[in-house]
Amino acid sequence: MSPARRTAALSIVTPFAAVAAAHVVPAATWLPVLRAVCCPRLAGAGRPDHVALTFDDGPAPESTPYFLDALDRLAVRATFFVLGESVARHPELSRRITQRGHELAVHGWTHTRPWLPAPVRDVRETERAVRVVQDTTGRRPQWYRPPYGILTAGRWAAARRAGLRPVLWTAWGRDWTADATAESVRLTVGADLRGGGTILLHDSDRTSSPGCWRAALGALPGLVAACRDAGWAVGPLAEHGVPEDRHGRVGPRGAPGLG
């Protein structure tokens, strides 16, 4: 290729590469070590005497009610990160979650991977999810967790525009796999569980192995008991004390509106 053609090609490719990089770089917060060190607020680090219990991917009528019953027995309230289209499909179940003392948060409209920048779509779908939660329950959600925990620049901006605080997690149970058991979920969460942490589990198998939600359900009593034995209360993010910066934002240090 001649120097002139190479220069012309670079002039076309470079802007697209810059946009792609800006889109993807914030998603590095998916990495647990980076998140814990650089952005504890985004990881969901709260007050040291409390553990936040959160669930993703619902509501699902075949599984979520079992979690509500289990949480009642344990006298625990939690935060459910819901998909907007599932709330629209199951409004009564969505209302039941809040009526039983739990908190609804936004997990997106659908459970998609953000491979390409789509800022207009991100804004539209995030705001649509906020509206359906508020219209269905009468309560405006406060929190946002992107599907797969992939917080791209577009999804972060869409969440902030919708008035949501992005929060990921400090410990998860790998409860979406086909070989997950109650014991494996309990041990996996326990390996990273600390006071002030945020636990990620799933109350639905919509995007994972069929029936795997039973492993998370079976792990709940042991996880709650372990937290209480350590002197930690268990509850929703609303009670977790995740700090805000002076701009009222939550996120990685050093990024505008994220630090």
Side-chain angles (χ1 to χ4, degrees):
M1 181 182 293
S2 69
R5 288 187 176 181
R6 186 179 300 111
T7 300
L10 286 173
S11 69
I12 295 172
V13 171
T14 299
F16 288 102
V19 169
H23 173 69
V24 170
V25 165
T29 55
W30 186 89
L31 299 170
V33 174
L34 176 65
R35 188 164 67 244
V37 173
C38 299
C39 36
R41 289 189 291 264
L42 180 62
R47 64 179 216 256
D49 64 341
H50 188 270
V51 169
L53 180 61
T54 70
F55 297 93
D56 283 7
D57 292 2
E62 66 277 7
S63 54
T64 302
Y66 290 99
F67 286 85
L68 298 181
D69 290 343
L71 292 168
D72 279 352
R73 290 192 295 270
L74 294 166
V76 169
R77 290 179 295 155
T79 300
F80 287 78
F81 283 87
V82 294
L83 297 170
E85 67 171 8
S86 294
V87 173
R89 188 178 298 120
H90 308 294
E92 289 300 327
L93 176 56
S94 302
R95 281 189 285 270
R96 197 186 320 162
I97 295 172
T98 59
Q99 289 165 355
R100 291 170 76 165
H102 307 290
E103 177 182 38
L104 289 191
V106 171
H107 197 37
W109 183 256
T110 58
H111 204 282
T112 56
R113 286 187 174 91
W115 297 125
L116 298 174
V120 173
R121 182 196 63 197
D122 289 337
V123 168
R124 181 179 64 248
E125 293 192 351
T126 302
E127 291 183 344
R128 188 181 182 192
V130 169
R131 283 196 305 273
V132 75
V133 170
Q134 184 168 13
D135 291 347
T136 300
T137 68
R139 302 178 187 180
R140 187 173 181 84
Q142 300 182 54
W143 311 96
Y144 172 73
R145 177 181 291 153
Y148 304 102
I150 302 174
L151 186 62
T152 62
R155 288 186 168 182
W156 172 82
R160 297 310 310 168
R161 175 170 170 160
L164 300 173
R165 298 175 62 183
V167 172
L168 300 181
W169 62 87
T170 64
W172 65 4
R174 297 190 64 85
D175 53 333
W176 62 88
T177 62
D179 58 351
T181 64
E183 182 67 4
S184 74
V185 171
R186 188 185 64 78
L187 291 174
T188 303
V189 171
D192 295 314
L193 187 59
R194 306 289 185 274
T198 293
I199 298 173
L200 163 62
L201 298 174
H202 296 78
D203 64 308
S204 167
D205 59 6
R206 172 175 176 168
T207 61
S208 51
S209 180
C212 62
W213 57 267
R214 298 180 188 278
L217 181 68
L220 277 180
L223 289 173
V224 171
C227 290
R228 288 172 171 164
D229 288 345
W232 307 325
V234 182
L237 282 165
E239 299 174 357
H240 193 45
V242 179
E244 298 185 15
D245 69 11
R246 64 184 179 277
H247 302 296
R249 302 168 183 169
V250 177
R253 300 183 185 118
L258 292 176

PDB file of all heavy atoms in Angstrom, residues 172-173 181-193 201 215-216 218-224 226:
ATOM      1  N   TRP A 172     -19.736 -13.226  44.021  1.00  0.00           N
ATOM      2  CA  TRP A 172     -20.809 -13.901  43.290  1.00  0.00           C
ATOM      3  C   TRP A 172     -20.727 -15.403  43.539  1.00  0.00           C
ATOM      4  O   TRP A 172     -19.753 -15.905  44.066  1.00  0.00           O
ATOM      5  CB  TRP A 172     -20.756 -13.582  41.793  1.00  0.00           C
ATOM      6  CG  TRP A 172     -19.543 -14.068  41.046  1.00  0.00           C
ATOM      7  CD1 TRP A 172     -18.512 -14.831  41.515  1.00  0.00           C
ATOM      8  CD2 TRP A 172     -19.252 -13.815  39.675  1.00  0.00           C
ATOM      9  NE1 TRP A 172     -17.583 -15.073  40.524  1.00  0.00           N
ATOM     10  CE2 TRP A 172     -18.018 -14.456  39.379  1.00  0.00           C
ATOM     11  CE3 TRP A 172     -19.900 -13.121  38.662  1.00  0.00           C
ATOM     12  CZ2 TRP A 172     -17.432 -14.424  38.110  1.00  0.00           C
ATOM     13  CZ3 TRP A 172     -19.315 -13.085  37.401  1.00  0.00           C
ATOM     14  CH2 TRP A 172     -18.099 -13.723  37.148  1.00  0.00           C
ATOM     15  N   GLY A 173     -21.805 -16.090  43.116  1.00  0.00           N
ATOM     16  CA  GLY A 173     -21.875 -17.513  43.421  1.00  0.00           C
ATOM     17  C   GLY A 173     -21.652 -18.441  42.249  1.00  0.00           C
ATOM     18  O   GLY A 173     -21.699 -19.655  42.418  1.00  0.00           O
ATOM     19  N   THR A 181     -24.181 -26.116  42.628  1.00  0.00           N
ATOM     20  CA  THR A 181     -24.962 -26.702  43.712  1.00  0.00           C
ATOM     21  C   THR A 181     -25.067 -25.672  44.829  1.00  0.00           C
ATOM     22  O   THR A 181     -24.336 -24.671  44.837  1.00  0.00           O
ATOM     23  CB  THR A 181     -24.289 -27.966  44.267  1.00  0.00           C
ATOM     24  OG1 THR A 181     -23.024 -27.592  44.865  1.00  0.00           O
ATOM     25  CG2 THR A 181     -24.045 -28.995  43.160  1.00  0.00           C
ATOM     26  N   ALA A 182     -25.940 -25.932  45.768  1.00  0.00           N
ATOM     27  CA  ALA A 182     -26.052 -25.023  46.905  1.00  0.00           C
ATOM     28  C   ALA A 182     -24.709 -24.884  47.611  1.00  0.00           C
ATOM     29  O   ALA A 182     -24.307 -23.778  48.014  1.00  0.00           O
ATOM     30  CB  ALA A 182     -27.122 -25.520  47.869  1.00  0.00           C
ATOM     31  N   GLU A 183     -23.984 -25.987  47.753  1.00  0.00           N
ATOM     32  CA  GLU A 183     -22.692 -25.946  48.431  1.00  0.00           C
ATOM     33  C   GLU A 183     -21.656 -25.173  47.615  1.00  0.00           C
ATOM     34  O   GLU A 183     -20.882 -24.376  48.164  1.00  0.00           O
ATOM     35  CB  GLU A 183     -22.199 -27.364  48.694  1.00  0.00           C
ATOM     36  CG  GLU A 183     -20.863 -27.445  49.438  1.00  0.00           C
ATOM     37  CD  GLU A 183     -20.945 -26.948  50.878  1.00  0.00           C
ATOM     38  OE1 GLU A 183     -22.051 -26.610  51.341  1.00  0.00           O
ATOM     39  OE2 GLU A 183     -19.884 -26.899  51.535  1.00  0.00           O
ATOM     40  N   SER A 184     -21.627 -25.391  46.299  1.00  0.00           N
ATOM     41  CA  SER A 184     -20.647 -24.671  45.480  1.00  0.00           C
ATOM     42  C   SER A 184     -20.925 -23.179  45.482  1.00  0.00           C
ATOM     43  O   SER A 184     -19.997 -22.357  45.517  1.00  0.00           O
ATOM     44  CB  SER A 184     -20.647 -25.210  44.042  1.00  0.00           C
ATOM     45  OG  SER A 184     -21.787 -24.790  43.311  1.00  0.00           O
ATOM     46  N   VAL A 185     -22.189 -22.799  45.446  1.00  0.00           N
ATOM     47  CA  VAL A 185     -22.542 -21.375  45.489  1.00  0.00           C
ATOM     48  C   VAL A 185     -22.124 -20.767  46.823  1.00  0.00           C
ATOM     49  O   VAL A 185     -21.528 -19.685  46.875  1.00  0.00           O
ATOM     50  CB  VAL A 185     -24.056 -21.181  45.252  1.00  0.00           C
ATOM     51  CG1 VAL A 185     -24.469 -19.736  45.511  1.00  0.00           C
ATOM     52  CG2 VAL A 185     -24.424 -21.600  43.838  1.00  0.00           C
ATOM     53  N   ARG A 186     -22.404 -21.463  47.908  1.00  0.00           N
ATOM     54  CA  ARG A 186     -22.043 -20.950  49.234  1.00  0.00           C
ATOM     55  C   ARG A 186     -20.532 -20.780  49.363  1.00  0.00           C
ATOM     56  O   ARG A 186     -20.050 -19.759  49.863  1.00  0.00           O
ATOM     57  CB  ARG A 186     -22.570 -21.888  50.319  1.00  0.00           C
ATOM     58  CG  ARG A 186     -22.414 -21.345  51.738  1.00  0.00           C
ATOM     59  CD  ARG A 186     -22.840 -22.372  52.759  1.00  0.00           C
ATOM     60  NE  ARG A 186     -21.993 -23.556  52.744  1.00  0.00           N
ATOM     61  CZ  ARG A 186     -20.790 -23.613  53.293  1.00  0.00           C
ATOM     62  NH1 ARG A 186     -20.277 -22.551  53.907  1.00  0.00           N
ATOM     63  NH2 ARG A 186     -20.081 -24.725  53.246  1.00  0.00           N
ATOM     64  N   LEU A 187     -19.777 -21.760  48.892  1.00  0.00           N
ATOM     65  CA  LEU A 187     -18.319 -21.678  49.003  1.00  0.00           C
ATOM     66  C   LEU A 187     -17.734 -20.600  48.095  1.00  0.00           C
ATOM     67  O   LEU A 187     -16.778 -19.905  48.470  1.00  0.00           O
ATOM     68  CB  LEU A 187     -17.699 -23.036  48.661  1.00  0.00           C
ATOM     69  CG  LEU A 187     -17.960 -24.159  49.666  1.00  0.00           C
ATOM     70  CD1 LEU A 187     -17.426 -25.481  49.141  1.00  0.00           C
ATOM     71  CD2 LEU A 187     -17.344 -23.835  51.023  1.00  0.00           C
ATOM     72  N   THR A 188     -18.297 -20.455  46.895  1.00  0.00           N
ATOM     73  CA  THR A 188     -17.787 -19.453  45.959  1.00  0.00           C
ATOM     74  C   THR A 188     -18.048 -18.041  46.471  1.00  0.00           C
ATOM     75  O   THR A 188     -17.171 -17.173  46.422  1.00  0.00           O
ATOM     76  CB  THR A 188     -18.415 -19.643  44.572  1.00  0.00           C
ATOM     77  OG1 THR A 188     -18.152 -20.975  44.108  1.00  0.00           O
ATOM     78  CG2 THR A 188     -17.860 -18.657  43.568  1.00  0.00           C
ATOM     79  N   VAL A 189     -19.253 -17.804  46.968  1.00  0.00           N
ATOM     80  CA  VAL A 189     -19.537 -16.499  47.573  1.00  0.00           C
ATOM     81  C   VAL A 189     -18.639 -16.279  48.781  1.00  0.00           C
ATOM     82  O   VAL A 189     -18.037 -15.217  48.955  1.00  0.00           O
ATOM     83  CB  VAL A 189     -21.019 -16.389  47.982  1.00  0.00           C
ATOM     84  CG1 VAL A 189     -21.256 -15.122  48.806  1.00  0.00           C
ATOM     85  CG2 VAL A 189     -21.919 -16.387  46.759  1.00  0.00           C
ATOM     86  N   GLY A 190     -18.535 -17.299  49.624  1.00  0.00           N
ATOM     87  CA  GLY A 190     -17.765 -17.163  50.855  1.00  0.00           C
ATOM     88  C   GLY A 190     -16.308 -16.823  50.643  1.00  0.00           C
ATOM     89  O   GLY A 190     -15.689 -16.161  51.487  1.00  0.00           O
ATOM     90  N   ALA A 191     -15.741 -17.240  49.525  1.00  0.00           N
ATOM     91  CA  ALA A 191     -14.331 -16.968  49.266  1.00  0.00           C
ATOM     92  C   ALA A 191     -14.047 -15.479  49.160  1.00  0.00           C
ATOM     93  O   ALA A 191     -12.928 -15.027  49.453  1.00  0.00           O
ATOM     94  CB  ALA A 191     -13.901 -17.677  47.983  1.00  0.00           C
ATOM     95  N   ASP A 192     -15.020 -14.694  48.724  1.00  0.00           N
ATOM     96  CA  ASP A 192     -14.821 -13.252  48.542  1.00  0.00           C
ATOM     97  C   ASP A 192     -15.705 -12.408  49.454  1.00  0.00           C
ATOM     98  O   ASP A 192     -15.748 -11.186  49.313  1.00  0.00           O
ATOM     99  CB  ASP A 192     -15.106 -12.864  47.088  1.00  0.00           C
ATOM    100  CG  ASP A 192     -14.114 -13.485  46.125  1.00  0.00           C
ATOM    101  OD1 ASP A 192     -12.901 -13.427  46.424  1.00  0.00           O
ATOM    102  OD2 ASP A 192     -14.548 -14.031  45.091  1.00  0.00           O
ATOM    103  N   LEU A 193     -16.397 -13.038  50.364  1.00  0.00           N
ATOM    104  CA  LEU A 193     -17.361 -12.315  51.180  1.00  0.00           C
ATOM    105  C   LEU A 193     -16.683 -11.599  52.334  1.00  0.00           C
ATOM    106  O   LEU A 193     -15.916 -12.210  53.089  1.00  0.00           O
ATOM    107  CB  LEU A 193     -18.423 -13.280  51.706  1.00  0.00           C
ATOM    108  CG  LEU A 193     -19.602 -12.653  52.456  1.00  0.00           C
ATOM    109  CD1 LEU A 193     -20.331 -11.659  51.551  1.00  0.00           C
ATOM    110  CD2 LEU A 193     -20.554 -13.740  52.925  1.00  0.00           C
ATOM    111  N   LEU A 201     -26.405 -12.975  43.105  1.00  0.00           N
ATOM    112  CA  LEU A 201     -27.000 -14.271  42.794  1.00  0.00           C
ATOM    113  C   LEU A 201     -28.067 -14.060  41.718  1.00  0.00           C
ATOM    114  O   LEU A 201     -28.290 -12.932  41.283  1.00  0.00           O
ATOM    115  CB  LEU A 201     -27.623 -14.892  44.054  1.00  0.00           C
ATOM    116  CG  LEU A 201     -26.670 -15.212  45.213  1.00  0.00           C
ATOM    117  CD1 LEU A 201     -27.447 -15.671  46.443  1.00  0.00           C
ATOM    118  CD2 LEU A 201     -25.652 -16.270  44.805  1.00  0.00           C
ATOM    119  N   ALA A 215     -29.770 -23.808  42.850  1.00  0.00           N
ATOM    120  CA  ALA A 215     -28.520 -23.798  43.608  1.00  0.00           C
ATOM    121  C   ALA A 215     -28.422 -22.530  44.447  1.00  0.00           C
ATOM    122  O   ALA A 215     -28.033 -22.573  45.626  1.00  0.00           O
ATOM    123  CB  ALA A 215     -27.332 -23.903  42.654  1.00  0.00           C
ATOM    124  N   ALA A 216     -28.764 -21.405  43.868  1.00  0.00           N
ATOM    125  CA  ALA A 216     -28.756 -20.143  44.623  1.00  0.00           C
ATOM    126  C   ALA A 216     -29.778 -20.182  45.746  1.00  0.00           C
ATOM    127  O   ALA A 216     -29.500 -19.748  46.885  1.00  0.00           O
ATOM    128  CB  ALA A 216     -29.039 -18.974  43.687  1.00  0.00           C
ATOM    129  N   GLY A 218     -30.920 -22.787  47.339  1.00  0.00           N
ATOM    130  CA  GLY A 218     -30.458 -23.673  48.404  1.00  0.00           C
ATOM    131  C   GLY A 218     -29.321 -23.097  49.218  1.00  0.00           C
ATOM    132  O   GLY A 218     -29.131 -23.465  50.385  1.00  0.00           O
ATOM    133  N   ALA A 219     -28.553 -22.174  48.607  1.00  0.00           N
ATOM    134  CA  ALA A 219     -27.415 -21.585  49.321  1.00  0.00           C
ATOM    135  C   ALA A 219     -27.821 -20.476  50.280  1.00  0.00           C
ATOM    136  O   ALA A 219     -27.045 -20.123  51.178  1.00  0.00           O
ATOM    137  CB  ALA A 219     -26.409 -21.038  48.307  1.00  0.00           C
ATOM    138  N   LEU A 220     -29.014 -19.928  50.099  1.00  0.00           N
ATOM    139  CA  LEU A 220     -29.398 -18.739  50.868  1.00  0.00           C
ATOM    140  C   LEU A 220     -29.319 -18.920  52.384  1.00  0.00           C
ATOM    141  O   LEU A 220     -28.731 -18.071  53.080  1.00  0.00           O
ATOM    142  CB  LEU A 220     -30.809 -18.292  50.474  1.00  0.00           C
ATOM    143  CG  LEU A 220     -30.930 -17.423  49.233  1.00  0.00           C
ATOM    144  CD1 LEU A 220     -32.392 -17.073  48.987  1.00  0.00           C
ATOM    145  CD2 LEU A 220     -30.107 -16.153  49.397  1.00  0.00           C
ATOM    146  N   PRO A 221     -29.901 -19.967  52.960  1.00  0.00           N
ATOM    147  CA  PRO A 221     -29.844 -20.069  54.428  1.00  0.00           C
ATOM    148  C   PRO A 221     -28.425 -20.084  54.980  1.00  0.00           C
ATOM    149  O   PRO A 221     -28.130 -19.401  55.974  1.00  0.00           O
ATOM    150  CB  PRO A 221     -30.570 -21.394  54.711  1.00  0.00           C
ATOM    151  CG  PRO A 221     -31.484 -21.579  53.540  1.00  0.00           C
ATOM    152  CD  PRO A 221     -30.717 -21.047  52.368  1.00  0.00           C
ATOM    153  N   GLY A 222     -27.523 -20.818  54.333  1.00  0.00           N
ATOM    154  CA  GLY A 222     -26.146 -20.878  54.804  1.00  0.00           C
ATOM    155  C   GLY A 222     -25.429 -19.558  54.658  1.00  0.00           C
ATOM    156  O   GLY A 222     -24.646 -19.159  55.535  1.00  0.00           O
ATOM    157  N   LEU A 223     -25.683 -18.842  53.560  1.00  0.00           N
ATOM    158  CA  LEU A 223     -25.039 -17.552  53.359  1.00  0.00           C
ATOM    159  C   LEU A 223     -25.506 -16.526  54.395  1.00  0.00           C
ATOM    160  O   LEU A 223     -24.698 -15.788  54.972  1.00  0.00           O
ATOM    161  CB  LEU A 223     -25.325 -17.033  51.949  1.00  0.00           C
ATOM    162  CG  LEU A 223     -24.632 -17.760  50.804  1.00  0.00           C
ATOM    163  CD1 LEU A 223     -25.127 -17.247  49.463  1.00  0.00           C
ATOM    164  CD2 LEU A 223     -23.120 -17.593  50.909  1.00  0.00           C
ATOM    165  N   VAL A 224     -26.790 -16.485  54.616  1.00  0.00           N
ATOM    166  CA  VAL A 224     -27.321 -15.536  55.606  1.00  0.00           C
ATOM    167  C   VAL A 224     -26.811 -15.874  56.999  1.00  0.00           C
ATOM    168  O   VAL A 224     -26.411 -14.981  57.770  1.00  0.00           O
ATOM    169  CB  VAL A 224     -28.861 -15.523  55.564  1.00  0.00           C
ATOM    170  CG1 VAL A 224     -29.430 -14.711  56.724  1.00  0.00           C
ATOM    171  CG2 VAL A 224     -29.345 -14.948  54.225  1.00  0.00           C
ATOM    172  N   ALA A 226     -24.004 -17.374  57.754  1.00  0.00           N
ATOM    173  CA  ALA A 226     -22.583 -17.025  57.828  1.00  0.00           C
ATOM    174  C   ALA A 226     -22.399 -15.532  58.055  1.00  0.00           C
ATOM    175  O   ALA A 226     -21.525 -15.107  58.828  1.00  0.00           O
ATOM    176  CB  ALA A 226     -21.875 -17.467  56.547  1.00  0.00           C
TER     177      ALA A 226
END
